[in-house]
Amino acid sequence: MRGHQRRWASDSVPDKTIASGTTSPGTESTSGEEFVEVTLDLQDDNTIVLRSVEPATVINIPDDGEATPASSSRSSSIRRSSSNSRIRQFSQELKAEAVAKAKQFSQELKAELRRFSWSHGNASRVLAASSAIASQNNGGGAGSGYYDSALAARALRRQRAQLDRTRSGAQKALRGLRFISNCKSKSNGLDAWNEVESNFYKLAKDGNLYRADFAQCIGMRDSKEFALELFDALGRRRRLKVDKISKDELYEFWSQISDQSFDSRLQIFFDMVDKNEDGRITEEEVKEIIMLSACANKLSRLKEQAEEYAALIMEELDPERLGYIELWQLETLLLQKDTYLNYSQALSYTSQALSQNLQGLRRRSPIRRISSKCIYYLQENWKRLWVLTLWVCIMIGLFTWKFFQYKQKNSFQIMGYCLLTAKGAAETLKFNMALVLLPVCRNTITWLRNTRVGFVVPFDDNINFHKSIAAAIVIGVILHAGNHLACDFPRLIKVPESVYEEYLHDDFGTHKPTYLDLVKGAEGVTGILMVICMTIAFTLATKWFRRSLIKLPKPFNRLTGYNAFWYSHHLFVIVYALLIIHGVFLYLVHKWYLKTTWMYLSVPVLLYAGERILRVFRSGFSTVRLLKVAIYPGNVLTLQMSKPPQFKYKSGQYMFVQCPAVSPFEWHPFSITSAPGDDYLSVHIRQLGDWTQELKRVFSEACEPPLAGKSGLLRADETTKKSLPKLLIDGPYGAPAQDYRKYDVLLLVGLGIGATPFISILKDLLNNIVKMEEQADSLSDFSRNSDLSSGSTDSPNKLNPKRKKTLKTTNAYFYWVTREQGSFDWFKGVMNEVADQDQRGVIEMHNYLTSVYEEGDARSTLITMVQALNHAKNGVDIVSGTRVRTHFARPNWKKVFSKFCSKHYGARIGVFYCGAPVLAKELSKLCYEFNQKGPTKFEFHKEHF
């Protein structure tokens, strides 16, 4: 009951004595004593709620048992009872009757009060009446009258809050205000304590845990300041102020913070704020706990605005302006915060979702499960399967053809199957060296995407196919070069002269060559040089080197990173030149038309060379003028430039950017963040490598510094335009996200800078929404004003097909997950624009900040309250600075997919993802799982960096 005593501590009336209803024998009450009437409410859950404390009439009990009012002049005091037993009997009967009737009376009182309208107007009238009465009683004392009326108004609000605190509300609150997240059950709580106990033994000194080590001991290493305040609050509860605690005291602390009781956790949180232990929280104390929560969640901006948000909480919870709030007010805000969070709510369930989820739970036979998995796999991968099958069959055919062809030659008698294997691998090498260029012919692939070929060829996997071909080339090189150097040539030099003259003199000359003669010939030298160049290119193209996962000492660190990958890949020019020479000087083939290497390479090489030449000319003609440069938090550089007239693109596509001031040779791809309908082009570039860091440095030097209070946005004027570096662009090029229009519903998931391709899609959808609304308005006006003529009926029919096509995508959901609060500045304008103009609710946006602890954690509870209050009052989210709500921690993707199935039952949903590969695997797996459960189909696409 200590918690309730603290909650009611402020209800005592100053300068008045609250006496018991009965007096013990031997005591007397004089007429100068004042008594009060205490009203208690016995709840269904056996808890007692204090309802009111009012002045009461003193009852005199004479010997004959007749009661008379204390105001009567005939009995000015309570006479002594003739028998102590009669008093005890009377008090026991009174107590039994009170307990029996308390429950019945409380239910009746609840029913009456629920029917009573507790509107703001009624509260105002009560406040005004109380003020008038208090003013009369105090002889017109304005200060005391206002204070009493304020107390009366607060008491009224408290009664209403206590009636609203139902069991359902308390159960909902149990999910919030958690100090320890992994203690939801007894077993988890025991395991958690065992871990804390283990940490105690590691950190304790002389059998005591010091205050500085408390955060690490209980698992709050990243929130040390918050843990220290928690330590101090728990110490104050025990009337202690110590710097170290024993194991038993640690267990007591742990039991309190891991308590499943909401009231207990709320009291601890209140004590953290109420440092002077007066049962009241002032605005300054609210400000301190906001700053503490902001620091624990790495929200620097929220920390700067702590004073403003503290005033917001006081304005909401202290309308009487008493200057403090109490525990019940904090409890009310916590229980009712969901009423404020009515923006960006999650999707609702339907009965169809339940039936769909139950389909996945029904037991099926093993054969049926395997067959369904196979069918689903074929449906999802048939494009890849037929392309890979065709490719493998061609390689097998070429290998087999050359294998049996060389088996008929005389050289087989000397070199054996080593020669056959080497020549079969050589034929697949010629085919793959030609084919490896096609997946990187981006202009050709972008054009083919829009043709019927795009329905049967998975152009989204062009880079993966390029890597697969490269792997086949590595295998071919090992088989070809390995068999020649380690098998063929040793057999050749060991053969007797007579056998050599019989079988090989026509191919290798009259004199039998030595091993050195074979290696230093044109065939050997070109082959070895190709192997060296390809080894360098393949090694530096692996993810360990390309993404700098391997840390090398200087100067070898230059071998890692994108630059090393970029320049080493241009060794292919030398490789193809050597390959053509190698294919001309062959030992065993003498007729020119049988030397087929150039035949394999001619078309792909010319096609690729044409694409590179086209890039050079197109980038020269597509001159752009920089309009705006912005440097945002998180090391993100935004470039907004003029759009060339011939530059036509789709949302989701990307383009290459070159800055000669940084490097005259390097081109880097970036997603286009502007919409096709915009009159400009924009890209957002994050500093991750040498080139992007140098690009930011160049633009930072050329631009003016940001104004004070601005987020870094720099607008190019007449002076800066002349000094800004020159920029070249090439594109656009196709990407998976450009096909978003063919889906009924879109789920767009971006991690950090991975949101860039979806910003263009959101803009494009918004522009289409506005156009459709304008088209619908004009069509309705035309229908009302036109006559029923043949000409007038044709126009709507002409508009309908186009209108239906634009309505293919009915809803889009954008989930942006980032770990830095400053990231929301990148696309703040777009999010506000969508929120303002999307009146039909086609687009739904969800921001997730992973640096903040999940909703329900005590470290983020106050931030959630402030977030809800500020959005309810000002319509702005305190974290992102937009109208879009920011959720905390990571999304529950399984729950998201389940809700999609409920709202969009039977729809075709396109899931587009851009970000780290880890989440891509999870989303792909969820698409597979939910596709097995019902008719709602998820198709997963991911971007490649």
Side-chain angles (χ1 to χ4, degrees):
M1 292 298 293
R2 183 180 184 277
H4 290 291
Q5 292 170 1
R6 291 294 305 276
R7 291 170 59 188
W8 299 336
S10 62
D11 291 340
S12 59
V13 181
D15 300 330
K16 292 184 180 182
T17 303
I18 300 177
S20 174
T22 62
T23 58
S24 59
T27 62
E28 293 186 2
S29 297
T30 64
S31 59
E33 291 181 331
E34 295 184 4
F35 291 86
V36 294
E37 179 181 346
V38 180
T39 304
L40 302 175
D41 186 6
L42 181 62
Q43 300 288 328
D44 295 337
D45 54 357
N46 296 326
T47 60
I48 298 177
V49 177
L50 178 65
R51 287 303 179 203
S52 64
V53 181
E54 300 175 354
T57 302
V58 179
I59 304 297
N60 296 317
I61 306 175
D63 292 340
D64 56 1
E66 182 180 355
T68 59
S71 60
S72 175
S73 61
R74 292 173 298 176
S75 50
S76 59
S77 63
I78 301 177
R79 296 194 301 265
R80 183 185 303 270
S81 175
S82 62
S83 174
N84 293 337
S85 61
R86 290 187 60 187
I87 295 178
R88 285 194 296 270
Q89 180 181 359
F90 174 78
S91 62
Q92 291 173 358
E93 292 175 356
L94 181 62
K95 180 178 179 181
E97 184 179 1
V99 173
K101 292 183 177 180
K103 187 173 181 179
Q104 178 183 358
F105 176 76
S106 65
Q107 298 298 330
E108 296 175 355
L109 181 62
K110 284 183 184 178
E112 292 295 332
L113 290 177
R114 285 195 185 99
R115 289 192 293 266
F116 189 80
S117 175
W118 294 97
S119 63
H120 181 70
N122 291 336
S124 300
R125 287 193 293 272
V126 172
L127 180 60
S130 302
S131 300
I133 296 172
S135 177
Q136 294 176 2
N137 293 336
N138 290 279
S144 177
Y146 175 79
Y147 182 78
D148 291 342
S149 62
L151 286 176
R154 176 168 289 193
L156 181 64
R157 289 199 305 116
R158 178 173 183 173
Q159 288 182 0
R160 181 185 178 187
Q162 289 170 341
L163 290 175
D164 288 341
R165 192 199 182 199
T166 60
R167 284 192 171 188
S168 60
Q171 286 297 326
K172 183 182 292 186
L174 287 177
R175 299 193 297 267
L177 205 59
R178 296 188 307 271
F179 291 95
I180 305 298
S181 300
N182 57 350
C183 293
K184 297 180 181 179
S185 64
K186 292 184 178 179
S187 59
N188 289 339
L190 182 60
D191 293 339
W193 165 247
N194 291 335
E195 184 178 353
V196 172
E197 187 179 23
S198 176
N199 293 336
F200 175 84
Y201 290 126
K202 295 177 182 177
L203 300 172
K205 299 176 182 177
D206 299 329
N208 292 312
L209 178 71
Y210 282 83
R211 178 176 178 269
D213 298 325
F214 181 71
Q216 184 176 356
C217 185
I218 65 172
M220 287 189 180
R221 183 180 301 177
D222 297 332
S223 309
K224 187 173 182 179
E225 295 182 6
F226 188 90
L228 294 179
E229 289 293 339
L230 179 60
F231 180 92
D232 295 339
L234 295 172
R236 288 195 298 268
R237 289 164 65 91
R238 302 179 70 250
R239 300 296 186 265
L240 296 176
K241 189 175 182 180
V242 294
D243 290 333
K244 58 184 179 179
I245 55 177
S246 63
K247 178 185 172 183
D248 293 337
E249 291 171 329
L250 174 65
Y251 182 77
E252 182 180 347
F253 281 13
W254 177 261
S255 300
Q256 294 181 53
I257 62 178
S258 60
D259 194 341
Q260 293 300 304
S261 169
F262 171 69
D263 285 330
S264 176
R265 297 200 304 265
L266 179 64
Q267 184 66 62
I268 295 174
F269 188 78
F270 187 88
D271 291 340
M272 289 181 63
V273 187
D274 183 23
K275 295 183 180 180
N276 57 5
E277 300 182 88
D278 62 350
R280 301 174 179 182
I281 300 177
T282 62
E283 184 172 339
E284 185 63 27
E285 289 174 327
V286 173
K287 175 184 173 182
E288 290 180 6
I289 196 65
I290 290 178
M291 295 180 65
L292 185 65
S293 299
C295 182
N297 292 278
K298 303 176 183 178
L299 298 176
S300 56
R301 296 183 184 178
L302 185 63
K303 190 174 181 180
E304 297 170 359
Q305 297 174 297
E307 185 174 354
E308 174 186 349
Y309 296 135
L312 180 65
I313 289 181
M314 296 300 294
E315 179 182 351
E316 175 69 19
L317 299 184
D318 184 27
E320 303 85 10
R321 298 185 180 181
L322 293 176
Y324 64 89
I325 59 177
E326 301 167 84
L327 179 62
W328 68 267
Q329 293 164 291
L330 193 65
E331 174 191 28
T332 302
L333 179 61
L334 182 62
L335 293 178
Q336 296 180 354
K337 70 180 178 63
D338 289 339
T339 61
Y340 298 101
L341 299 178
N342 56 358
Y343 61 107
S344 188
Q345 289 290 337
L347 308 177
S348 59
Y349 284 95
T350 63
S351 58
Q352 290 178 333
L354 183 60
S355 63
Q356 174 163 347
N357 292 332
L358 289 177
Q359 286 183 5
L361 299 176
R362 293 171 185 157
R363 289 194 171 186
R364 293 178 293 180
S365 63
I367 298 177
R368 189 171 181 179
R369 287 200 303 266
I370 295 174
S371 62
S372 63
K373 289 182 179 180
C374 293
I375 293 173
Y376 173 77
Y377 183 82
L378 292 174
Q379 290 175 344
E380 291 293 311
N381 300 281
W382 68 270
K383 293 181 182 180
R384 301 182 182 94
L385 289 175
W386 86 261
V387 171
L388 290 176
T389 301
L390 178 63
W391 173 53
V392 172
C393 289
I394 292 175
M395 287 192 295
I396 293 175
L398 292 174
F399 186 94
T400 305
W401 170 46
K402 282 298 176 181
F403 188 92
F404 286 102
Q405 184 184 34
Y406 273 85
K407 195 173 184 180
Q408 310 300 324
K409 292 182 176 292
N410 292 333
S411 53
F412 170 70
Q413 305 299 326
I414 304 300
M415 301 180 182
Y417 286 97
C418 294
L419 174 66
L420 307 186
T421 304
K423 289 302 180 180
E427 201 67 20
T428 62
L429 274 174
K430 290 186 283 186
F431 170 68
N432 285 325
M433 288 296 291
L435 188 63
V436 75
L437 294 175
L438 297 182
V440 292
C441 292
R442 294 184 176 88
N443 289 290
T444 304
I445 291 178
T446 302
W447 171 68
L448 290 175
R449 278 178 180 272
N450 301 320
T451 64
R452 294 184 178 179
V453 181
F455 292 102
V456 295
V457 177
F459 290 114
D460 292 346
D461 293 326
N462 61 320
I463 300 300
N464 286 334
F465 190 46
H466 177 77
K467 294 177 180 179
S468 300
I469 298 172
I473 291 174
V474 171
I475 297 174
V477 168
I478 293 175
L479 292 176
H480 179 72
N483 277 281
H484 274 322
L485 296 176
C487 187
D488 292 349
F489 292 172
R491 286 191 175 191
L492 175 61
I493 61 177
K494 291 179 180 179
V495 69
E497 289 287 345
S498 58
V499 179
Y500 174 83
E501 288 290 337
E502 181 180 358
Y503 293 104
L504 298 176
H505 74 280
D506 292 335
D507 298 321
F508 292 93
T510 56
H511 298 286
K512 186 178 70 171
T514 62
Y515 192 90
L516 183 61
D517 293 334
L518 295 173
V519 173
K520 71 179 183 180
E523 301 89 337
V525 172
T526 54
I528 293 173
L529 290 177
M530 280 192 295
V531 170
I532 294 174
C533 291
M534 285 192 288
T535 301
I536 296 173
F538 290 166
T539 302
L540 299 183
T542 58
K543 66 177 182 179
W544 297 283
F545 283 87
R546 181 166 53 89
R547 298 183 179 179
S548 300
L549 300 179
I550 295 179
K551 305 300 179 182
L552 299 177
K554 293 182 179 181
F556 300 103
N557 60 334
R558 293 182 175 271
L559 296 177
T560 61
Y562 186 85
N563 287 345
F565 158 76
W566 173 260
Y567 289 113
S568 64
H569 245 58
H570 284 77
L571 291 173
F572 79 92
V573 178
I574 300 175
V575 170
Y576 279 97
L578 293 173
L579 182 59
I580 293 175
I581 297 173
H582 186 81
V584 172
F585 294 93
L586 295 178
Y587 288 116
L588 303 179
V589 179
H590 307 290
K591 297 180 180 179
W592 70 271
Y593 56 86
L594 296 179
K595 300 176 180 181
T596 58
T597 303
W598 65 274
M599 299 180 186
Y600 281 97
L601 300 179
S602 56
V603 174
V605 169
L606 289 176
L607 179 63
Y608 185 80
E611 288 226 355
R612 297 300 294 264
I613 295 173
L614 176 63
R615 174 183 295 184
V616 173
F617 280 98
R618 186 167 56 186
S619 61
F621 286 116
S622 299
T623 56
V624 294
R625 178 171 50 90
L626 283 171
L627 304 175
K628 186 188 299 182
V629 176
I631 300 176
Y632 289 110
N635 290 324
V636 170
L637 172 68
T638 301
L639 302 177
Q640 190 177 111
M641 62 204 78
S642 61
K643 182 169 68 173
Q646 71 277 12
F647 195 93
K648 307 295 181 182
Y649 67 97
K650 297 180 180 179
S651 293
Q653 292 184 332
Y654 66 96
M655 66 181 182
F656 280 85
V657 176
Q658 185 200 62
C659 182
V662 177
S663 174
F665 306 108
E666 294 184 43
W667 290 84
H668 293 263
F670 299 101
S671 298
I672 304 174
T673 54
S674 56
D678 296 335
D679 57 355
Y680 61 89
L681 293 174
S682 65
V683 292
H684 288 67
I685 303 172
R686 185 164 193 176
Q687 283 70 60
L688 295 175
D690 298 338
W691 187 87
T692 53
Q693 291 176 358
E694 183 67 15
L695 184 71
K696 178 189 174 183
R697 187 192 65 78
V698 169
F699 277 96
S700 299
E701 293 177 355
C703 295
E704 299 175 352
L707 298 176
K710 299 293 182 180
S711 61
L713 187 63
L714 305 176
R715 294 186 179 274
D717 54 19
E718 294 300 326
T719 57
T720 56
K721 285 179 184 178
K722 297 178 182 179
S723 60
L724 287 175
K726 182 181 179 182
L727 208 64
L728 302 178
I729 63 172
D730 175 51
Y733 294 104
Q738 75 175 58
D739 299 325
Y740 72 92
R741 288 177 175 267
K742 66 181 183 180
Y743 295 100
D744 303 323
V745 180
L746 299 179
L747 174 56
L748 311 175
V749 182
L751 258 64
I753 197 64
T756 50
F758 308 131
I759 294 300
S760 178
I761 294 177
L762 294 179
K763 285 184 176 181
D764 192 34
L765 284 174
L766 183 62
N767 293 339
N768 289 334
I769 291 170
V770 174
K771 288 180 181 179
M772 285 190 297
E773 291 176 351
E774 293 176 352
Q775 186 181 29
D777 293 340
S778 61
L779 185 61
S780 60
D781 294 339
F782 178 81
S783 301
R784 286 195 300 267
N785 299 329
S786 62
D787 296 328
L788 298 176
S789 60
S790 59
S792 63
T793 56
D794 289 341
S795 297
N797 292 333
K798 292 179 180 179
L799 292 173
N800 282 339
K802 187 174 182 180
R803 186 179 177 187
K804 289 181 180 179
K805 185 177 180 180
T806 56
L807 287 174
K808 174 67 175 176
T809 301
T810 58
N811 291 92
Y813 301 88
F814 175 51
Y815 283 77
W816 186 16
V817 184
T818 182
R819 59 186 176 186
E820 298 175 356
Q821 183 185 8
S823 303
F824 297 118
D825 287 347
W826 307 344
F827 309 115
K828 181 185 294 185
V830 177
M831 290 188 286
N832 285 330
E833 186 179 359
V834 171
D836 291 335
Q837 299 186 22
D838 182 23
Q839 302 299 329
R840 298 169 56 193
V842 175
I843 302 173
E844 187 174 300
M845 295 177 290
H846 298 267
N847 294 333
Y848 281 83
L849 187 61
T850 59
S851 65
V852 180
Y853 292 95
E854 63 180 349
E855 296 175 16
D857 194 293
R859 287 165 285 188
S860 61
T861 295
L862 199 63
I863 296 176
T864 306
M865 295 180 186
V866 176
Q867 181 191 41
L869 285 175
N870 191 73
H871 195 279
K873 181 178 180 181
N874 304 318
V876 178
D877 184 80
I878 64 171
V879 179
S880 65
T882 68
R883 293 182 58 187
V884 181
R885 179 191 174 189
T886 301
H887 306 269
F888 301 147
R890 290 174 174 80
N892 186 337
W893 292 113
K894 192 168 186 177
K895 191 174 181 180
V896 170
F897 274 75
S898 179
K899 292 177 179 178
F900 265 73
C901 292
S902 68
K903 188 171 183 178
H904 304 288
Y905 185 80
R908 186 184 179 201
I909 301 176
V911 182
F912 295 90
Y913 170 74
C914 185
V918 178
L919 183 55
K921 296 179 180 179
E922 181 181 353
L923 294 177
S924 178
K925 182 180 179 181
L926 287 173
C927 289
Y928 168 76
E929 291 179 359
F930 280 89
N931 284 340
Q932 300 291 313
K933 295 181 179 180
T936 306
K937 297 302 178 184
F938 296 88
E939 296 186 18
F940 180 68
H941 307 272
K942 64 179 179 179
E943 293 280 351
H944 298 280
F945 287 100

